[in-house]
C-alpha cells in the first residue's frame, strides 16, 4: 500500500482525516477534510468534490490503521491515495500543529 511519512507532507497537500467526530473535535490538522470512516462510503461524494482533480489524497487517522483501509478503498476507485504512516500521533510528535475547530491548540486522542 502506498505510504508516506508525516515529514514528507508539504503545506498545501490535500489531507483526508478519517477519525471519528470526537477525535476530530479534540484536535486535527488545519485544512484537513474530515469524513469519519464510519460515514465514508455514504459521504464519498464530498471527497470527490473537494479533492484535487489530478492530485494525491493523503489519508490520516490516529495511528494508520483506519486510514490504511480507506487508502485501499480509494486506490480501488482509481484515486491516487496514500496512507500517512503513524497518523496524527506522529503528526503531533513531529511538532506539526494540531488545532480545534475554533483555531485553538488541540490534542490527539
Amino acid at each position: 500500500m502506498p505510504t508516506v511519512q508525516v515529514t514528507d507532507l508539504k503545506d498545501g497537500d490535500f489531507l483526508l482525516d478519517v477519525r471519528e467526530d470526537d477525535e476530530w473535535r479534540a484536535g486535527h490538522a488545519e485544512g484537513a477534510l474530515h469524513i469519519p470512516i464510519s460515514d465514508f462510503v455514504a459521504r464519498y461524494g464530498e471527497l470527490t468534490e473537494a479533492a484535487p482533480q489530478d492530485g494525491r489524497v493523503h489519508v490520516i487517522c490516529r495511528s494508520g490503521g483506519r486510514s490504511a483501509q480507506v487508502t485501499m478503498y480509494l486506490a480501488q476507485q482509481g484515486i491516487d491515495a496514500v496512507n500517512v504512516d503513524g497518523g496524527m500521533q506522529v503528526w503531533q510528535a513531529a511538532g506539526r500543529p494540531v488545532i480545534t475547530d475554533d483555531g485553538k491548540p488541540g490534542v490527539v486522542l
Side-chain angles (χ1 to χ4, degrees):
M1 169 187 356
T3 302
V4 296
Q5 303 300 313
V6 165
T7 53
D8 295 332
L9 294 173
K10 297 170 184 55
D11 290 342
D13 282 346
F14 186 82
L15 192 62
L16 170 65
D17 189 324
V18 297
R19 296 174 304 143
E20 294 303 320
D21 290 337
D22 61 328
E23 295 171 288
W24 171 266
R25 282 191 301 272
H28 55 269
E30 185 175 4
L33 173 65
H34 178 229
I35 303 177
I37 193 170
S38 59
D39 296 338
F40 190 76
V41 174
R43 294 176 55 189
Y44 178 72
E46 292 177 41
L47 171 66
T48 58
E49 286 180 22
Q53 287 296 80
D54 295 323
R56 175 171 278 180
V57 175
H58 300 85
V59 189
I60 198 165
C61 66
R62 180 175 183 263
S63 61
R66 290 172 285 179
S67 54
Q69 293 174 42
V70 172
T71 299
M72 287 188 292
Y73 175 81
L74 292 174
Q76 291 170 349
Q77 308 308 310
I79 293 176
D80 181 10
V82 293
N83 186 33
V84 179
D85 192 39
M88 287 298 296
Q89 290 178 318
V90 171
W91 177 279
Q92 186 174 40
R96 296 276 182 123
V98 176
I99 61 167
T100 60
D101 283 336
D102 60 7
K104 293 181 180 169
V107 297
V108 175
L109 294 182

